Amino acid sequence: MKPILPVAMLIPLLAAGCVPEPAPPEPTPPAEDSCGAGRYLGLVGQSGVTISIPADQAYRSYKTGDPVTMDYNPNRLNFEHDKTGKLVRVSCG
């Protein structure tokens, strides 16, 4: 009877592994979208995207972990990519 007890305790743990992961939350525009970042949120999660930006729009594109200046410009678009080139974040600043 003792061997049945450990197996019975494993069944709930095994069943818990069958539950699918919830979908990641949809990106939401920043509270204050002074640079128009909301227009580009649909590109988050895509790799190798070509982004058309108006000529008078200040922007910067960098990889996660790259050094960037800490100056805040509410009208500047920031495009953050991971090491594989996937767009992971669009923000103002």
Side-chain angles (χ1 to χ4, degrees), residues 69-88:
T69 60
M70 295 300 293
D71 64 318
Y72 181 76
N73 178 351
N75 297 318
R76 178 177 52 210
L77 277 165
N78 295 302
F79 297 97
E80 182 179 345
H81 304 268
D82 67 7
K83 294 183 185 211
T84 65
K86 180 172 66 171
L87 184 64
V88 294

Side-chain angles (χ1 to χ4, degrees), residues 34-36 39-40 52-60 73-77 79:
S34 55
C35 68
R39 294 178 288 185
Y40 302 96
S52 297
I53 302 169
D56 61 343
Q57 175 74 53
Y59 76 94
R60 64 181 168 189
N73 178 351
N75 297 318
R76 178 177 52 210
L77 277 165
F79 297 97

